[in-house]
Amino acid sequence: MTTMAWFKRNKKKLDDTSLKYGVGLVSYTEPNGMIAEQFKTIRTNIQFSSVDKQLQSILFTSSEPSEGKSTISNNMAVTWADQGTKVVLVDADLRRPAVHRSFDVSNRMGLTNYLSGNADLSAVVRETMVKDLSVITSGPVPPNPAELLGSKRIENLLSELTAEFDLVIVDAPPVNMVTDAQLLASRIDGTVLVVPQGIADKNGVRRAKQLLETVHANILGTVMNRVTAQKSVGYYGGNYYGGSYYGGYYGTDDKK
């Protein structure tokens, strides 16, 4: 099935809320709340998942659109910055960008401007209201996202960012839709797959994992979001926030 056919079939299923308003930054607005504590737990688990090598770059993705990977990646960026880590969040979802709306910054200049050679790094990195957290927005939506993300310029960008920041967090497109996430994951230290409970298709998640393994991505594990006490005994329940439930499970068991 072609990508265009998939979009036609699933057009009504895509949630455009984050495109219009950004994602809920509960780690910033409610830093002492239960959900923020769950993000801190995920941060700790990710840090311990790579004890032999310090992770300088982490990519968050999902198998399909509207599964919460932007909410997870954006809140994780805030969570890391809160512990004094100098973080830059890169919106590499060039088809459905949301970071500029989440952090209320201009998207006139961003990643696409840098990758097309029309801007240098200083022109696209923006500070946010969160101390120690900067962002690079998507920039104008291009006609050729895969070509830009697969270019030599992306390697230059990652090299510059890891030299300037302690941690680079990349919000990437869904794996099963386009090749963008694969192109990026092959160049990132670690990849985390976001899986919404009761929504994600098991076969779709398996396929996403296989596609990431094809490019030798370092899969750190999965974050299961939208978990409620009613859905799963043993998981922490989430408060209703921004239209979705967000759970705090993190694991690396391939059977789950």
Side-chain angles (χ1 to χ4, degrees):
M1 181 180 296
T2 65
T3 299
M4 183 59 69
W6 191 97
F7 270 115
K8 287 181 179 179
R9 190 187 71 178
N10 292 274
K11 184 176 181 181
K12 293 183 179 179
K13 296 182 180 180
L14 297 182
D15 184 354
D16 290 336
T17 302
S18 63
L19 302 184
K20 296 177 181 178
Y21 308 109
V23 302
L25 297 176
V26 65
S27 293
Y28 175 71
T29 58
E30 301 177 37
N32 298 317
M34 181 178 65
I35 302 176
E37 289 299 321
Q38 293 172 4
F39 281 116
K40 293 175 185 177
T41 298
I42 295 171
R43 179 188 66 196
T44 300
N45 289 341
I46 292 176
Q47 289 172 332
F48 277 100
S49 70
S50 183
V51 295
D52 295 330
K53 178 185 177 182
Q54 181 180 358
L55 296 171
Q56 292 183 289
S57 57
I58 300 174
L59 179 144
F60 287 84
T61 186
S62 58
S63 59
E64 305 289 352
S66 302
E67 293 189 340
K69 52 90 180 171
S70 291
T71 297
I72 299 298
S73 62
N74 288 207
N75 277 279
M76 288 306 302
V78 173
T79 303
W80 253 295
D82 281 345
Q83 72 169 7
T85 303
K86 190 178 180 183
V87 181
V88 60
L89 171 65
V90 181
D91 193 345
D93 194 340
L94 303 184
R95 293 171 171 84
R96 291 168 58 85
V99 168
H100 63 290
R101 298 199 184 278
S102 301
F103 291 90
D104 193 23
V105 295
S106 171
N107 195 33
R108 187 176 62 85
M109 295 282 287
L111 181 61
T112 56
N113 301 96
Y114 177 92
L115 295 180
S116 60
N118 295 319
D120 58 19
L121 189 62
S122 62
V124 298
V125 175
R126 289 180 173 79
E127 295 183 350
T128 69
M129 67 286 195
V130 181
K131 185 177 182 294
D132 291 324
L133 175 58
S134 299
V135 298
I136 296 179
T137 65
S138 68
V141 176
N144 57 339
E147 286 79 0
L148 288 178
L149 295 174
S151 68
K152 182 70 175 178
R153 292 278 290 178
I154 197 71
E155 295 182 7
N156 297 337
L157 175 66
L158 292 172
S159 179
E160 288 188 78
L161 291 179
T162 52
E164 184 175 341
F165 294 88
D166 299 323
L167 180 64
V168 180
I169 294 181
V170 178
D171 182 356
V175 181
N176 293 345
M177 293 301 302
V178 288
T179 61
D180 303 12
Q182 287 178 280
L183 292 170
L184 291 165
S186 64
R187 297 166 173 173
I188 299 292
D189 291 343
T191 295
V192 175
L193 191 62
V194 175
V195 181
Q197 187 185 34
I199 296 175
D201 176 72
K202 289 183 179 179
N203 290 330
V205 174
R206 291 193 186 99
R207 182 170 184 269
K209 179 174 178 289
Q210 291 171 351
L211 289 173
L212 290 170
E213 290 174 338
T214 299
V215 296
H216 306 290
N218 177 25
I219 304 175
L220 301 174
T222 62
V223 171
M224 182 171 283
N225 63 335
R226 304 184 190 183
V227 176
T228 67
Q230 291 75 22
K231 287 181 181 178
S232 183
V233 176
Y235 290 111
Y236 288 102
N239 291 329
Y240 192 75
Y241 186 84
S244 300
Y245 281 87
Y246 299 107
Y249 172 79
Y250 175 85
T252 56
D253 189 342
D254 292 342
K255 296 179 182 178
K256 296 181 179 179

